[in-house]
Amino acid sequence: MTRYTVERLGHQGDGIVAGPLYVSGVLPGEVITGEVEKDRIVGPSIVTPSDHRVKAPCSHAKSCGGCNLQHASDDFVAGFKRGVVQTALTTRGMTAEVCATETSPPASRRRAVFSARRTKKGALVGFHMKASDTVIAVPNCKVLSPVLLGIVPVLEDLTVLGGSRKGTLRFTVTETTGGVDILAEGGKPADGPFLAQLAQTSAKPGIARLTWEDELIATQHTPAVNFGAAVVTPPPGAFFQATQEGEQTLVSAVLELIDGAGRVADLFSGCGTFTFPAAQSAEVHAFEGEKAMIASLEAGWRHAKGLRTVTATTRDLFRRPLLPDELNKFDAIIIDPPRAGAEAQIAEIAKSDVATIAMVSCNPVTFARDAEVLIAAGYEMRNLKVVDQFRWSSHVEVVAGFHR
């Protein structure tokens, strides 16, 4: 059988050999064998392992599609993620010193999306297998918090009640101070006797709130989250940072970057992850496209104490980015866009006179694209940090400052 040497890893964690051919579960420098199917090597055997190869800590590592780097040492993964960021910048002709990767600990994920299917014997709740629609149970998951793992039996009960053997239910679960917030999507309509069954299930211990599709079934305890000095109740399924450790790292970096600013714009603010910590010392105006998130942010502000003024506006920053004359009212900007980046908004920021920008990104490729625009407009990039909230995956987050 032909032997291949792994040259490097792609940004999604797959190994690349000459051809190119792609193969999962390998590391640079390893010699492997395997069958070639189209552009992939399947079922690879490791002939010469890397010094960075370790035994996967999770019993589901070979089958679960949630983690793809458990076979690599922590030091290797941290360096790999810094390299992904550096490569994204280099591709656009930029260089920057990347600080050490800040990695969240095992069992710290407080937010996850489970897939679920009803079976002959009950229900199957877990994650998809690698490159497959098949759902597998993950009782020994090393990423999820114990609280989220502990709620799986309730999700199984909900799947038996409202799932299908043909379709797949989707549960977005979030650990809050009041318990687990559950949003179910893809099940049967919540009406008649089924509605009463859902309400009864939602009363089980550990559940804060249950929402079925767009219908609130019950709130047993307030599903609250602390952002700085504010207590916020996010809408069902709302996005916020995956781990508390990762959030704290990002918040600390952002606050350091905007230190001394009196008026701050928080763009793509969500429910206030950065808004409220920034409001400890600055007046903050939050902008977010989702009306429900802004409503949660405003409610949190009304009950918070010891903060500077916080105002909020629902605005689609993709279609209606803030213009330079609006931006120039602020001393600093915090911007945390989704994976697509903020191309339209960055173009307007580049035309503004704002002195300081703190940018958070979950996609090094779009981060590099947006950074290139700012640098071309006269900004200097500083304090670039890599934050790894998705341990053992190829996912990378970045925070950096841009200063005129």
Side-chain angles (χ1 to χ4, degrees), residues 23-86:
V23 56
S24 61
V26 297
L27 295 172
E30 292 188 326
V31 178
I32 65 170
T33 61
E35 297 291 338
V36 177
E37 293 183 5
K38 296 182 180 180
D39 63 344
R40 297 196 67 84
I41 299 174
V42 296
S45 295
I46 311 299
V47 178
T48 306
S50 165
D51 291 341
H52 295 292
R53 178 170 287 277
V54 299
K55 182 180 179 180
C58 180
S59 61
H60 311 298
K62 290 185 177 181
S63 55
C64 178
C67 298
N68 60 349
L69 291 172
Q70 288 206 1
H71 59 288
S73 68
D74 288 349
D75 287 345
F76 175 87
V77 175
F80 164 72
K81 296 196 176 190
R82 291 195 300 273
V84 168
V85 176
Q86 289 170 328

Short mmCIF file of all heavy atoms in Angstrom, two decimals, residues 23-86:
data_model
loop_
_atom_site.label_atom_id
_atom_site.label_comp_id
_atom_site.label_asym_id
_atom_site.label_seq_id
_atom_site.Cartn_x
_atom_site.Cartn_y
_atom_site.Cartn_z
N VAL A 23 -6.89 14.10 4.51
CA VAL A 23 -7.09 12.97 5.41
C VAL A 23 -7.30 13.49 6.82
O VAL A 23 -6.62 14.40 7.28
CB VAL A 23 -5.88 12.01 5.34
CG1 VAL A 23 -4.58 12.73 5.64
CG2 VAL A 23 -6.06 10.82 6.27
N SER A 24 -8.26 12.91 7.52
CA SER A 24 -8.56 13.35 8.89
C SER A 24 -7.81 12.51 9.91
O SER A 24 -7.38 11.38 9.62
CB SER A 24 -10.06 13.28 9.14
OG SER A 24 -10.53 11.95 8.99
N GLY A 25 -7.65 13.07 11.10
CA GLY A 25 -7.06 12.34 12.21
C GLY A 25 -5.57 12.15 12.14
O GLY A 25 -5.02 11.23 12.76
N VAL A 26 -4.86 13.02 11.42
CA VAL A 26 -3.41 12.90 11.28
C VAL A 26 -2.74 14.20 11.68
O VAL A 26 -3.40 15.21 11.92
CB VAL A 26 -3.01 12.52 9.84
CG1 VAL A 26 -3.59 11.17 9.47
CG2 VAL A 26 -3.48 13.60 8.85
N LEU A 27 -1.40 14.18 11.74
CA LEU A 27 -0.62 15.34 12.13
C LEU A 27 0.53 15.54 11.15
O LEU A 27 0.98 14.59 10.50
CB LEU A 27 -0.08 15.18 13.55
CG LEU A 27 -1.12 15.11 14.67
CD1 LEU A 27 -0.47 14.75 15.99
CD2 LEU A 27 -1.88 16.42 14.78
N PRO A 28 1.04 16.77 11.03
CA PRO A 28 2.15 17.03 10.12
C PRO A 28 3.36 16.15 10.42
O PRO A 28 3.70 15.91 11.58
CB PRO A 28 2.47 18.51 10.38
CG PRO A 28 1.19 19.09 10.85
CD PRO A 28 0.55 18.01 11.67
N GLY A 29 4.00 15.64 9.35
CA GLY A 29 5.18 14.80 9.48
C GLY A 29 4.89 13.33 9.61
O GLY A 29 5.81 12.50 9.49
N GLU A 30 3.65 12.96 9.86
CA GLU A 30 3.32 11.54 10.01
C GLU A 30 3.34 10.82 8.66
O GLU A 30 2.89 11.38 7.64
CB GLU A 30 1.96 11.36 10.68
CG GLU A 30 1.95 11.80 12.14
CD GLU A 30 0.67 11.47 12.87
OE1 GLU A 30 -0.40 11.49 12.23
OE2 GLU A 30 0.76 11.19 14.08
N VAL A 31 3.82 9.61 8.67
CA VAL A 31 3.77 8.74 7.49
C VAL A 31 2.56 7.83 7.66
O VAL A 31 2.40 7.17 8.71
CB VAL A 31 5.06 7.92 7.34
CG1 VAL A 31 4.95 6.98 6.14
CG2 VAL A 31 6.26 8.84 7.19
N ILE A 32 1.72 7.77 6.62
CA ILE A 32 0.46 7.03 6.72
C ILE A 32 0.25 6.17 5.48
O ILE A 32 0.90 6.36 4.45
CB ILE A 32 -0.75 7.98 6.89
CG1 ILE A 32 -0.91 8.84 5.63
CG2 ILE A 32 -0.59 8.86 8.12
CD1 ILE A 32 -2.20 9.65 5.59
N THR A 33 -0.66 5.22 5.59
CA THR A 33 -1.15 4.48 4.44
C THR A 33 -2.67 4.55 4.46
O THR A 33 -3.28 4.82 5.50
CB THR A 33 -0.71 3.01 4.47
OG1 THR A 33 -1.24 2.39 5.66
CG2 THR A 33 0.80 2.89 4.48
N GLY A 34 -3.30 4.29 3.33
CA GLY A 34 -4.75 4.32 3.27
C GLY A 34 -5.23 4.27 1.84
O GLY A 34 -4.46 4.46 0.89
N GLU A 35 -6.52 3.99 1.66
CA GLU A 35 -7.13 3.93 0.35
C GLU A 35 -7.54 5.34 -0.09
O GLU A 35 -8.05 6.12 0.71
CB GLU A 35 -8.36 3.03 0.37
CG GLU A 35 -8.05 1.57 0.71
CD GLU A 35 -7.28 0.87 -0.39
OE1 GLU A 35 -7.34 1.33 -1.55
OE2 GLU A 35 -6.59 -0.13 -0.09
N VAL A 36 -7.32 5.64 -1.37
CA VAL A 36 -7.69 6.94 -1.93
C VAL A 36 -9.07 6.86 -2.57
O VAL A 36 -9.33 5.99 -3.40
CB VAL A 36 -6.66 7.41 -2.98
CG1 VAL A 36 -7.10 8.73 -3.61
CG2 VAL A 36 -5.29 7.56 -2.35
N GLU A 37 -9.96 7.74 -2.14
CA GLU A 37 -11.28 7.88 -2.73
C GLU A 37 -11.45 9.34 -3.12
O GLU A 37 -11.54 10.21 -2.26
CB GLU A 37 -12.37 7.44 -1.77
CG GLU A 37 -12.36 5.95 -1.45
CD GLU A 37 -13.51 5.53 -0.54
OE1 GLU A 37 -14.37 6.40 -0.24
OE2 GLU A 37 -13.56 4.34 -0.16
N LYS A 38 -11.48 9.59 -4.45
CA LYS A 38 -11.54 10.95 -4.98
C LYS A 38 -10.33 11.73 -4.44
O LYS A 38 -9.20 11.39 -4.73
CB LYS A 38 -12.87 11.60 -4.65
CG LYS A 38 -14.06 10.91 -5.30
CD LYS A 38 -15.37 11.62 -5.00
CE LYS A 38 -16.53 10.91 -5.67
NZ LYS A 38 -17.83 11.57 -5.40
N ASP A 39 -10.58 12.77 -3.64
CA ASP A 39 -9.45 13.57 -3.15
C ASP A 39 -9.14 13.32 -1.69
O ASP A 39 -8.47 14.11 -1.04
CB ASP A 39 -9.73 15.07 -3.37
CG ASP A 39 -10.93 15.56 -2.57
OD1 ASP A 39 -11.72 14.72 -2.09
OD2 ASP A 39 -11.09 16.79 -2.43
N ARG A 40 -9.60 12.16 -1.17
CA ARG A 40 -9.39 11.88 0.24
C ARG A 40 -8.72 10.53 0.44
O ARG A 40 -8.90 9.59 -0.36
CB ARG A 40 -10.71 11.91 1.03
CG ARG A 40 -11.40 13.26 1.05
CD ARG A 40 -12.46 13.30 2.14
NE ARG A 40 -11.88 13.24 3.47
CZ ARG A 40 -11.40 14.29 4.13
NH1 ARG A 40 -11.43 15.49 3.58
NH2 ARG A 40 -10.91 14.15 5.34
N ILE A 41 -7.97 10.40 1.53
CA ILE A 41 -7.44 9.12 1.98
C ILE A 41 -8.32 8.67 3.14
O ILE A 41 -8.42 9.36 4.16
CB ILE A 41 -5.97 9.25 2.45
CG1 ILE A 41 -5.10 9.73 1.28
CG2 ILE A 41 -5.47 7.92 2.99
CD1 ILE A 41 -3.66 10.03 1.69
N VAL A 42 -8.96 7.53 2.97
CA VAL A 42 -9.91 7.07 3.99
C VAL A 42 -9.28 5.93 4.78
O VAL A 42 -8.45 5.16 4.28
CB VAL A 42 -11.23 6.62 3.33
CG1 VAL A 42 -11.91 7.80 2.66
CG2 VAL A 42 -11.00 5.49 2.33
N GLY A 43 -9.72 5.79 6.03
CA GLY A 43 -9.21 4.73 6.90
C GLY A 43 -7.71 4.71 7.02
O GLY A 43 -7.08 3.65 6.86
N PRO A 44 -7.08 5.86 7.30
CA PRO A 44 -5.61 5.89 7.34
C PRO A 44 -5.03 5.05 8.48
O PRO A 44 -5.62 4.97 9.56
CB PRO A 44 -5.30 7.37 7.54
CG PRO A 44 -6.50 7.91 8.26
CD PRO A 44 -7.67 7.16 7.68
N SER A 45 -3.89 4.45 8.22
CA SER A 45 -3.10 3.78 9.26
C SER A 45 -1.84 4.60 9.47
O SER A 45 -1.19 5.01 8.51
CB SER A 45 -2.74 2.36 8.84
OG SER A 45 -3.90 1.55 8.71
N ILE A 46 -1.49 4.81 10.73
CA ILE A 46 -0.31 5.60 11.06
C ILE A 46 0.91 4.69 11.08
O ILE A 46 1.02 3.80 11.93
CB ILE A 46 -0.47 6.31 12.42
CG1 ILE A 46 -1.82 7.04 12.51
CG2 ILE A 46 0.69 7.26 12.66
CD1 ILE A 46 -2.02 8.12 11.48
N VAL A 47 1.84 4.92 10.16
CA VAL A 47 3.07 4.14 10.11
C VAL A 47 4.12 4.76 11.03
O VAL A 47 4.75 4.07 11.84
CB VAL A 47 3.61 4.06 8.67
CG1 VAL A 47 4.94 3.30 8.63
CG2 VAL A 47 2.60 3.41 7.74
N THR A 48 4.29 6.07 10.90
CA THR A 48 5.24 6.80 11.75
C THR A 48 4.49 7.93 12.44
O THR A 48 4.14 8.93 11.81
CB THR A 48 6.40 7.38 10.92
OG1 THR A 48 7.01 6.33 10.17
CG2 THR A 48 7.43 8.04 11.83
N PRO A 49 4.20 7.81 13.74
CA PRO A 49 3.41 8.85 14.43
C PRO A 49 4.24 10.08 14.75
O PRO A 49 5.46 10.02 14.89
CB PRO A 49 2.96 8.15 15.71
CG PRO A 49 4.01 7.13 15.96
CD PRO A 49 4.49 6.67 14.61
N SER A 50 3.55 11.20 14.89
CA SER A 50 4.17 12.45 15.30
C SER A 50 4.44 12.43 16.80
O SER A 50 3.74 11.76 17.57
CB SER A 50 3.25 13.62 14.96
OG SER A 50 3.64 14.80 15.63
N ASP A 51 5.45 13.19 17.21
CA ASP A 51 5.72 13.35 18.65
C ASP A 51 4.58 14.08 19.35
O ASP A 51 4.47 14.02 20.57
CB ASP A 51 7.02 14.14 18.86
CG ASP A 51 8.26 13.36 18.43
OD1 ASP A 51 8.16 12.12 18.33
OD2 ASP A 51 9.31 13.99 18.19
N HIS A 52 3.74 14.76 18.57
CA HIS A 52 2.63 15.51 19.15
C HIS A 52 1.36 14.67 19.26
O HIS A 52 0.34 15.16 19.75
CB HIS A 52 2.32 16.75 18.30
CG HIS A 52 3.42 17.77 18.29
ND1 HIS A 52 3.77 18.49 19.41
CD2 HIS A 52 4.27 18.16 17.30
CE1 HIS A 52 4.77 19.31 19.11
NE2 HIS A 52 5.09 19.13 17.85
N ARG A 53 1.41 13.43 18.80
CA ARG A 53 0.23 12.57 18.87
C ARG A 53 0.02 12.10 20.31
O ARG A 53 0.95 11.68 20.98
CB ARG A 53 0.37 11.38 17.92
CG ARG A 53 -0.82 10.40 17.99
CD ARG A 53 -0.77 9.38 16.87
NE ARG A 53 -1.11 10.00 15.59
CZ ARG A 53 -2.34 10.20 15.15
NH1 ARG A 53 -3.38 9.83 15.89
NH2 ARG A 53 -2.55 10.76 13.98
N VAL A 54 -1.24 12.17 20.76
CA VAL A 54 -1.60 11.72 22.10
C VAL A 54 -2.84 10.84 22.02
O VAL A 54 -3.53 10.80 21.00
CB VAL A 54 -1.88 12.92 23.05
CG1 VAL A 54 -0.67 13.79 23.21
CG2 VAL A 54 -3.08 13.73 22.54
N LYS A 55 -3.10 10.12 23.09
CA LYS A 55 -4.32 9.34 23.16
C LYS A 55 -5.50 10.27 23.38
O LYS A 55 -5.48 11.11 24.29
CB LYS A 55 -4.23 8.33 24.30
CG LYS A 55 -5.47 7.43 24.41
CD LYS A 55 -5.35 6.44 25.56
CE LYS A 55 -6.62 5.59 25.65
NZ LYS A 55 -6.53 4.61 26.78
N ALA A 56 -6.52 10.14 22.56
CA ALA A 56 -7.70 11.01 22.69
C ALA A 56 -8.33 10.84 24.06
O ALA A 56 -8.55 9.71 24.51
CB ALA A 56 -8.71 10.69 21.60
N PRO A 57 -8.62 11.93 24.77
CA PRO A 57 -9.18 11.83 26.12
C PRO A 57 -10.63 11.37 26.15
O PRO A 57 -11.11 10.93 27.18
CB PRO A 57 -9.04 13.26 26.67
CG PRO A 57 -9.02 14.12 25.45
CD PRO A 57 -8.34 13.32 24.40
N CYS A 58 -11.32 11.47 25.00
CA CYS A 58 -12.76 11.15 24.96
C CYS A 58 -12.99 9.82 24.26
O CYS A 58 -12.41 9.54 23.21
CB CYS A 58 -13.51 12.27 24.24
SG CYS A 58 -15.29 11.99 24.12
N SER A 59 -13.86 9.01 24.81
CA SER A 59 -14.16 7.70 24.22
C SER A 59 -14.93 7.82 22.91
O SER A 59 -15.04 6.85 22.16
CB SER A 59 -14.96 6.85 25.21
OG SER A 59 -16.19 7.48 25.54
N HIS A 60 -15.49 9.00 22.63
CA HIS A 60 -16.25 9.21 21.40
C HIS A 60 -15.43 9.84 20.28
O HIS A 60 -15.96 10.16 19.22
CB HIS A 60 -17.45 10.12 21.67
CG HIS A 60 -18.27 9.72 22.87
ND1 HIS A 60 -18.92 8.51 22.96
CD2 HIS A 60 -18.53 10.37 24.02
CE1 HIS A 60 -19.55 8.43 24.12
NE2 HIS A 60 -19.33 9.55 24.78
N ALA A 61 -14.13 10.02 20.50
CA ALA A 61 -13.31 10.81 19.58
C ALA A 61 -13.31 10.28 18.15
O ALA A 61 -13.31 11.04 17.19
CB ALA A 61 -11.88 10.90 20.11
N LYS A 62 -13.31 8.93 17.98
CA LYS A 62 -13.23 8.38 16.63
C LYS A 62 -14.53 8.49 15.86
O LYS A 62 -14.52 8.49 14.63
CB LYS A 62 -12.81 6.90 16.71
CG LYS A 62 -11.36 6.70 17.15
CD LYS A 62 -10.97 5.23 17.10
CE LYS A 62 -9.51 5.05 17.47
NZ LYS A 62 -9.10 3.61 17.41
N SER A 63 -15.64 8.60 16.56
CA SER A 63 -16.93 8.60 15.88
C SER A 63 -17.62 9.96 15.86
O SER A 63 -18.24 10.34 14.86
CB SER A 63 -17.87 7.57 16.52
OG SER A 63 -17.99 7.81 17.92
N CYS A 64 -17.50 10.73 16.92
CA CYS A 64 -18.22 12.00 17.04
C CYS A 64 -17.61 13.06 16.12
O CYS A 64 -16.40 13.18 16.01
CB CYS A 64 -18.21 12.48 18.48
SG CYS A 64 -19.03 14.07 18.74
N GLY A 65 -18.48 13.84 15.50
CA GLY A 65 -18.01 14.91 14.63
C GLY A 65 -17.77 16.21 15.35
O GLY A 65 -17.43 17.22 14.72
N GLY A 66 -17.92 16.22 16.67
CA GLY A 66 -17.78 17.47 17.41
C GLY A 66 -16.35 17.93 17.60
O GLY A 66 -16.07 19.12 17.59
N CYS A 67 -15.41 17.01 17.76
CA CYS A 67 -14.01 17.36 17.97
C CYS A 67 -13.17 16.64 16.91
O CYS A 67 -13.35 15.45 16.69
CB CYS A 67 -13.53 16.92 19.36
SG CYS A 67 -14.40 17.71 20.72
N ASN A 68 -12.23 17.35 16.30
CA ASN A 68 -11.40 16.72 15.28
C ASN A 68 -9.90 16.82 15.56
O ASN A 68 -9.09 16.46 14.71
CB ASN A 68 -11.70 17.29 13.90
CG ASN A 68 -11.45 18.79 13.81
OD1 ASN A 68 -11.24 19.45 14.83
ND2 ASN A 68 -11.48 19.32 12.61
N LEU A 69 -9.53 17.28 16.77
CA LEU A 69 -8.11 17.42 17.09
C LEU A 69 -7.74 16.79 18.43
O LEU A 69 -6.75 17.17 19.04
CB LEU A 69 -7.70 18.89 17.07
CG LEU A 69 -7.69 19.57 15.70
CD1 LEU A 69 -7.47 21.07 15.83
CD2 LEU A 69 -6.62 18.96 14.80
N GLN A 70 -8.52 15.82 18.88
CA GLN A 70 -8.22 15.21 20.17
C GLN A 70 -6.98 14.32 20.12
O GLN A 70 -6.46 13.93 21.16
CB GLN A 70 -9.42 14.40 20.67
CG GLN A 70 -10.56 15.26 21.15
CD GLN A 70 -11.43 14.55 22.17
OE1 GLN A 70 -11.16 13.41 22.55
NE2 GLN A 70 -12.47 15.21 22.63
N HIS A 71 -6.52 14.01 18.92
CA HIS A 71 -5.32 13.17 18.78
C HIS A 71 -4.04 13.99 18.87
O HIS A 71 -2.94 13.44 18.76
CB HIS A 71 -5.36 12.42 17.44
CG HIS A 71 -5.42 13.34 16.26
ND1 HIS A 71 -6.56 14.05 15.94
CD2 HIS A 71 -4.49 13.67 15.33
CE1 HIS A 71 -6.33 14.77 14.85
NE2 HIS A 71 -5.08 14.56 14.46
N ALA A 72 -4.18 15.31 19.07
CA ALA A 72 -3.01 16.19 19.11
C ALA A 72 -2.82 16.76 20.51
O ALA A 72 -3.78 17.00 21.25
CB ALA A 72 -3.19 17.34 18.11
N SER A 73 -1.56 17.01 20.87
CA SER A 73 -1.26 17.59 22.19
C SER A 73 -1.81 19.00 22.28
O SER A 73 -2.02 19.69 21.27
CB SER A 73 0.25 17.62 22.41
OG SER A 73 0.86 18.55 21.52
N ASP A 74 -2.03 19.46 23.52
CA ASP A 74 -2.56 20.81 23.72
C ASP A 74 -1.63 21.87 23.14
O ASP A 74 -2.09 22.85 22.54
CB ASP A 74 -2.77 21.07 25.22
CG ASP A 74 -3.95 20.30 25.79
OD1 ASP A 74 -4.73 19.74 24.99
OD2 ASP A 74 -4.09 20.26 27.02
N ASP A 75 -0.34 21.69 23.31
CA ASP A 75 0.62 22.66 22.77
C ASP A 75 0.53 22.73 21.25
O ASP A 75 0.61 23.81 20.65
CB ASP A 75 2.04 22.31 23.19
CG ASP A 75 2.31 22.61 24.66
OD1 ASP A 75 1.50 23.34 25.26
OD2 ASP A 75 3.31 22.10 25.19
N PHE A 76 0.38 21.56 20.61
CA PHE A 76 0.27 21.55 19.15
C PHE A 76 -0.99 22.30 18.71
O PHE A 76 -0.95 23.11 17.78
CB PHE A 76 0.24 20.13 18.61
CG PHE A 76 0.02 20.08 17.12
CD1 PHE A 76 1.08 20.17 16.25
CD2 PHE A 76 -1.27 20.00 16.61
CE1 PHE A 76 0.87 20.17 14.87
CE2 PHE A 76 -1.50 20.00 15.24
CZ PHE A 76 -0.42 20.09 14.37
N VAL A 77 -2.13 22.01 19.36
CA VAL A 77 -3.39 22.63 18.95
C VAL A 77 -3.31 24.15 19.12
O VAL A 77 -3.76 24.91 18.26
CB VAL A 77 -4.57 22.05 19.76
CG1 VAL A 77 -5.86 22.80 19.42
CG2 VAL A 77 -4.73 20.57 19.45
N ALA A 78 -2.73 24.59 20.23
CA ALA A 78 -2.59 26.03 20.47
C ALA A 78 -1.75 26.68 19.38
O ALA A 78 -2.08 27.74 18.84
CB ALA A 78 -1.98 26.29 21.84
N GLY A 79 -0.64 26.03 19.03
CA GLY A 79 0.21 26.57 17.97
C GLY A 79 -0.46 26.51 16.61
O GLY A 79 -0.30 27.43 15.79
N PHE A 80 -1.21 25.44 16.36
CA PHE A 80 -1.94 25.32 15.10
C PHE A 80 -2.92 26.47 14.93
O PHE A 80 -3.03 27.07 13.85
CB PHE A 80 -2.68 23.98 15.07
CG PHE A 80 -3.76 23.89 14.02
CD1 PHE A 80 -3.45 23.80 12.68
CD2 PHE A 80 -5.10 23.91 14.39
CE1 PHE A 80 -4.45 23.73 11.71
CE2 PHE A 80 -6.11 23.84 13.44
CZ PHE A 80 -5.78 23.74 12.10
N LYS A 81 -3.62 26.82 16.01
CA LYS A 81 -4.62 27.88 15.89
C LYS A 81 -3.97 29.24 15.70
O LYS A 81 -4.48 30.09 14.96
CB LYS A 81 -5.55 27.85 17.12
CG LYS A 81 -6.35 26.55 17.17
CD LYS A 81 -7.53 26.59 18.10
CE LYS A 81 -8.32 25.28 17.99
NZ LYS A 81 -9.60 25.30 18.68
N ARG A 82 -2.84 29.46 16.34
CA ARG A 82 -2.11 30.70 16.06
C ARG A 82 -1.66 30.73 14.61
O ARG A 82 -1.73 31.78 13.94
CB ARG A 82 -0.89 30.83 16.99
CG ARG A 82 -1.23 31.08 18.45
CD ARG A 82 -0.01 31.55 19.23
NE ARG A 82 1.07 30.57 19.23
CZ ARG A 82 1.15 29.57 20.11
NH1 ARG A 82 0.23 29.42 21.05
NH2 ARG A 82 2.17 28.72 20.05
N GLY A 83 -1.25 29.58 14.10
CA GLY A 83 -0.82 29.51 12.71
C GLY A 83 -1.93 29.78 11.73
O GLY A 83 -1.71 30.40 10.68
N VAL A 84 -3.15 29.33 12.05
CA VAL A 84 -4.31 29.60 11.19
C VAL A 84 -4.53 31.10 11.06
O VAL A 84 -4.78 31.63 9.96
CB VAL A 84 -5.57 28.90 11.74
CG1 VAL A 84 -6.82 29.40 11.04
CG2 VAL A 84 -5.45 27.39 11.58
N VAL A 85 -4.42 31.81 12.18
CA VAL A 85 -4.60 33.26 12.16
C VAL A 85 -3.48 33.93 11.37
O VAL A 85 -3.71 34.81 10.54
CB VAL A 85 -4.67 33.82 13.60
CG1 VAL A 85 -4.75 35.34 13.59
CG2 VAL A 85 -5.87 33.22 14.34
N GLN A 86 -2.25 33.52 11.62
CA GLN A 86 -1.12 34.11 10.91
C GLN A 86 -1.20 33.86 9.41
O GLN A 86 -0.91 34.75 8.60
CB GLN A 86 0.19 33.55 11.47
CG GLN A 86 0.50 34.07 12.87
CD GLN A 86 1.66 33.34 13.53
OE1 GLN A 86 1.87 32.15 13.29
NE2 GLN A 86 2.42 34.05 14.36
#
